C-alpha cells in the first residue's frame, strides 16, 4: 500500500469510531445521525444483522432513527481496525465491542458482544480535506450463544450446565468416532 493510503488509516479509524458512536448511542438525536452518518452512506447501502437485512439509504436512515427511538443502548469500542485493499480505493472497517442494551437499566444492563463490519469505497476528500468513505455495507454480528449467556439466571445455566454438558457429550462422541475410524482402518484378523 502506498504511503499516501497508509496515512489515511488513522483518519478512517477516527471516522468509523465517530460513525459507530453516533449509530450505537441512543442518546444521539436524529440530527446527529444525519450529520455524522448520512454523508458517508452509499445510496444502495445494505444493513445486515442476525434478524434482518435491508437496502437503500432511506430504509437505513428510517431503521437507525427508529432504533434510537425504540431502544436504549450505547456501545463500548474495544478494537477498531481499517484496512484498505491494494490501490486504496476499497476498504473494510471492523469494530469489536459491547452493545450495552439499557432498556431496563433500573433492573439490568444487557451486555451483547458485537462485531460491526463496514465495507466502503473512498470518494474524494471531504470539505475539511479528510478521507471520505462511502459505506456500501454495514453488518452487525452477535451470536445467539452470547445473547443467552448474558441473560440473568438462564445465562448461568447456559454457561455452567448446558455448555459443559454439551462439551462432555461432544468429546465422548469424538472419542467414539475415533475408535470406529481406527477399527475400520485396522480390522481385527480372526
Amino acid at each position: 500500500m502506498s504511503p499516501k493510503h497508509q496515512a489515511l488509516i488513522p483518519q478512517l479509524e477516527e471516522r468509523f469510531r465517530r460513525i459507530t458512536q453516533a449509530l450505537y448511542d441512543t442518546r444521539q438525536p436524529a440530527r446527529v445521525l444525519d450529520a455524522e452518518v448520512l454523508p458517508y452512506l452509499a445510496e444502495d447501502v445494505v444493513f445486515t444483522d442476525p434478524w434482518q437485512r435491508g437496502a437503500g439509504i432511506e430504509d437505513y436512515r428510517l431503521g437507525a432513527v427508529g432504533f434510537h427511538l425504540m431502544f436504549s443502548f450505547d456501545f463500548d469500542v474495544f478494537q477498531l481496525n481499517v484496512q484498505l485493499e491494494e490501490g486504496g480505493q476499497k476498504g473494510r472497517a471492523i469494530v469489536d465491542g459491547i452493545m450495552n442494551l439499557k432498556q431496563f437499566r433500573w433492573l439490568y444492563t444487557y451486555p451483547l458482544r458485537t462485531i460491526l463490519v463496514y465495507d466502503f469505497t473512498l470518494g474524494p476528500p471531504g470539505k475539511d480535506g479528510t478521507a471520505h468513505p462511502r459505506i456500501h455495507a454495514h453488518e452487525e454480528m452477535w451470536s445467539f450463544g452470547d445473547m443467552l449467556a448474558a441473560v440473568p439466571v438462564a445465562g448461568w445455566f447456559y454457561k455452567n450446565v448446558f455448555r459443559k454438558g454439551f462439551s462432555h457429550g461432544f468429546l465422548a462422541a469424538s472419542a467414539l468416532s475415533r475408535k470406529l475410524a481406527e477399527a475400520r482402518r485396522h480390522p481385527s484378523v480372526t
Side-chain angles (χ1 to χ4, degrees), residues 81-136:
N81 179 267
V82 171
Q83 293 185 342
L84 292 173
E85 290 182 7
E86 200 58 44
Q89 294 308 304
K90 288 183 175 183
R92 173 174 274 192
I94 299 175
V95 182
D96 174 20
I98 298 286
M99 188 182 337
N100 300 294
L101 304 170
K102 299 178 175 187
Q103 205 64 16
F104 304 105
R105 83 182 95 214
W106 51 271
L107 178 64
Y108 182 65
T109 295
Y110 188 91
L112 182 60
R113 183 165 180 253
T114 305
I115 297 175
L116 307 171
V117 177
Y118 303 96
D119 290 322
F120 64 92
T121 55
L122 280 180
K127 293 176 186 173
D128 60 358
T130 62
H132 195 84
R134 180 74 57 202
I135 300 168
H136 295 276

Side-chain angles (χ1 to χ4, degrees), residues 23-24 45-55 60 63-64 67 70-71 73 75 99 101 112-117 137-144 147:
L23 283 169
Y24 290 90
V45 64
V46 174
F47 175 79
T48 306
D49 77 8
W51 294 105
Q52 61 183 326
R53 184 175 191 278
Y60 187 100
F67 208 51
M70 289 185 283
F71 297 100
F73 56 89
F75 195 92
M99 188 182 337
L101 304 170
L112 182 60
R113 183 165 180 253
T114 305
I115 297 175
L116 307 171
V117 177
H138 170 192
E139 184 173 4
E140 180 182 295
M141 294 175 270
W142 31 265
S143 78
F144 289 111
M147 285 184 81

